[in-house]
């Protein structure tokens, strides 16, 4: 896909980040992963993100990621695949090139590793990675990599293939200033954990869509909520929030890292051999998995 084509796809509907499947030895399990991608691609998500945050990008080695992207592309049909990318500028540019070669339709640039950086350093980092590839790039604004409006504008001027902005800060004032300044230059995605809890606020701030983690294991429900939100069916949205998302949030909040581990548990409960999360994350307890199973009962895969 060209950068403009992936930009259009990103804004065309609900998005998601499939978990990365591991075998009993903690190695990538391509067969189960492809089955999961194929199942998800049957729902209405125009783009899936391989090896993203929910896909445990932070626990993957750079040489594993192109193989994950390749497996996703083999199973996704017409659904576009965007790859996670990150680390420092040197590793990030090499990774961006390798996933482009593996067939990625775009990259999501996650925050760099560990250290805080000034705006000029962030500008040079994003610019270098954008200019290393021909595919479209999205930046993920969160944690130690929060771009100012001015820095983002400079990057938009310098990098034609910078086509998307994903926010994980929850700073509605900042994101509203960005959408008001950049207009339709970018596609805007909400990226808070369990994004449905914040989706209405982000929609009001000018965001087009968001990435749904729970789409991994209850894709039909995720699409139902998204459609109700876009149609302005507030009572319908609130019922789904009460019946599913708030109880899920209670499970997710029991321990750090459950924003990923609870999603992977849901995928396993739907019958996919996704394996365990890699350290430093930890899996749900048997009791917590039982709670999640009860919650997803009405949407259990046959």
């Amino acid at each position: 896909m060209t950068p403009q084509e992936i930009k259009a796809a990103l804004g065309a509907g609900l998005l998601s980040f499939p978990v990365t499947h591991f075998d009993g030895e903690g190695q990538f399990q391509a067969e189960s992963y492809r089955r999961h991608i194929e199942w998800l691609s049957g729902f209405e998500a125009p783009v899936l993100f391989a090896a993203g945050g929910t896909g445990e990008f932070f626990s993957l080695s750079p040489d594993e990621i192109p193989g994950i992207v390749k497996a996703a592309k083999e199973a996704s049909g017409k659904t576009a695949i965007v790859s996670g990318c990150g680390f420092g500028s040197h590793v990030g540019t090499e990774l961006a090139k390798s996933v482009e070669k593996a067939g990625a339709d775009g990259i999501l640039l996650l925050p760099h590793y560990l250290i805080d950086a000034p705006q000029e350093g962030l500008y040079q980092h994003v610019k270098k990675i954008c200019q290393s590839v021909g595919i479209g790039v999205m930046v993920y604004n969160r944690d130690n990599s929060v771009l100012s409006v001015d820095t983002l504008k400079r990057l938009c001027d310098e990098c034609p293939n910078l086509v998307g902005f994903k926010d994980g800060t929850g700073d509605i004032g900042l994101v509203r200033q960005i959408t008001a300044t950049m207009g339709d230059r970018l596609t805007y995605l909400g990226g808070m954990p369990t994004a449905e809890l914040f989706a209405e606020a982000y929609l009001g701030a000018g965001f087009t869509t968001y990435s749904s983690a729970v789409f991994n294991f209850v894709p039909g429900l995720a699409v139902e909520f998204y459609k109700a939100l876009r149609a302005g069916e507030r009572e319908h949205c609130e019922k789904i929030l009460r019946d599913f998302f708030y109880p899920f949030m209670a499970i997710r909040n029991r321990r750090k890292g459950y924003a990923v581990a609870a999603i992977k548990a849901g995928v396993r409960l739907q019958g996919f051999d996704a394996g365990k999360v890699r350290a430093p994350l930890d899996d749900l307890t048997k009791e917590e998995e039982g709670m999640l199973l009860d919650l997803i009962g009405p949407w259990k895969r046959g």
Side-chain angles (χ1 to χ4, degrees):
M1 282 187 168
T2 67
Q4 289 306 306
E5 287 171 337
I6 194 64
K7 178 188 175 187
L10 289 165
L14 183 63
L15 314 173
S16 188
F17 288 68
V19 299
T20 302
H21 294 216
F22 301 128
D23 62 20
E25 302 300 317
Q27 300 304 305
F28 176 52
Q29 170 63 275
E31 183 179 349
S32 177
Y33 182 71
R34 281 193 289 262
R35 286 199 302 269
H36 186 213
I37 294 289
E38 184 177 8
W39 181 56
L40 296 179
S41 298
F43 294 85
E44 300 174 47
V47 179
L48 295 174
F49 291 73
T54 307
E56 298 181 72
F57 175 84
F58 45 84
S59 293
L60 299 170
S61 63
D63 60 359
E64 288 180 295
I65 295 172
I68 295 169
V69 170
K70 184 174 183 292
K73 286 292 293 182
E74 290 169 350
S76 66
K78 295 181 179 179
T79 301
I81 299 295
V82 169
S83 173
C85 185
F87 305 107
S89 300
H90 180 73
V91 175
T93 53
E94 293 304 310
L95 179 55
K97 293 174 185 177
S98 68
V99 297
E100 181 179 35
K101 186 176 180 180
D105 297 299
I107 63 172
L108 173 66
L109 182 56
L110 285 83
H112 60 276
Y113 176 68
L114 188 62
I115 195 166
D116 288 327
Q119 288 296 305
E120 182 60 27
L122 294 177
Y123 166 77
Q124 294 294 341
H125 171 67
V126 176
K127 179 182 174 182
K128 183 173 183 179
I129 291 174
C130 284
Q131 294 183 346
S132 72
V133 292
I135 53 178
V137 179
M138 299 178 60
V139 290
Y140 195 176
N141 223 45
R142 61 175 291 174
D143 299 324
N144 62 339
S145 188
V146 177
L147 301 170
S148 70
V149 177
D150 290 342
T151 300
L152 186 60
K153 188 175 185 306
R154 288 176 67 198
L155 287 165
C156 285
D157 292 341
E158 289 286 335
C159 306
N161 65 328
L162 177 60
V163 296
F165 176 87
K166 181 179 180 183
D167 182 72
T169 68
D171 185 343
I172 296 297
L174 172 63
V175 300
R176 186 65 187 100
Q177 186 180 3
I178 285 170
T179 58
T181 302
M182 306 303 165
D184 62 5
R185 171 64 180 80
L186 300 170
T187 293
Y188 304 99
L189 282 74
M192 295 290 287
T194 315
E196 286 84 355
L197 301 174
F198 306 90
E200 187 176 10
Y202 273 91
L203 188 64
F207 273 46
T208 311
T209 185
Y210 57 89
S211 55
S212 172
V214 303
F215 185 91
N216 267 278
F217 62 96
V218 284
L221 178 66
V223 171
E224 180 184 349
F225 181 88
Y226 174 79
K227 287 183 174 180
L229 177 72
R230 298 294 297 181
E233 298 172 359
R234 192 168 192 177
E235 289 185 8
H236 191 178
C237 289
E238 288 176 347
K239 183 178 188 306
I240 298 174
L241 287 169
R242 291 192 303 268
D243 291 349
F244 179 83
F245 284 105
Y246 292 139
F248 176 76
M249 181 178 67
I251 298 171
R252 184 203 71 188
N253 288 347
R254 289 170 70 95
R255 279 208 294 172
K256 290 183 177 181
Y258 273 13
V260 173
I263 300 300
K264 200 162 204 181
V267 174
R268 292 195 301 268
L269 291 170
Q270 287 287 27
F272 294 97
D273 189 16
K276 296 182 177 182
V277 293
R278 283 180 175 175
L281 299 183
D282 194 22
D283 287 294
L284 273 63
T285 65
K286 290 295 183 184
E287 177 189 5
E288 290 163 341
E289 282 202 4
M291 294 165 61
L292 185 57
L293 180 60
D294 289 343
L295 181 60
I296 69 175
W299 302 280
K300 191 77 168 66
R301 181 168 166 257

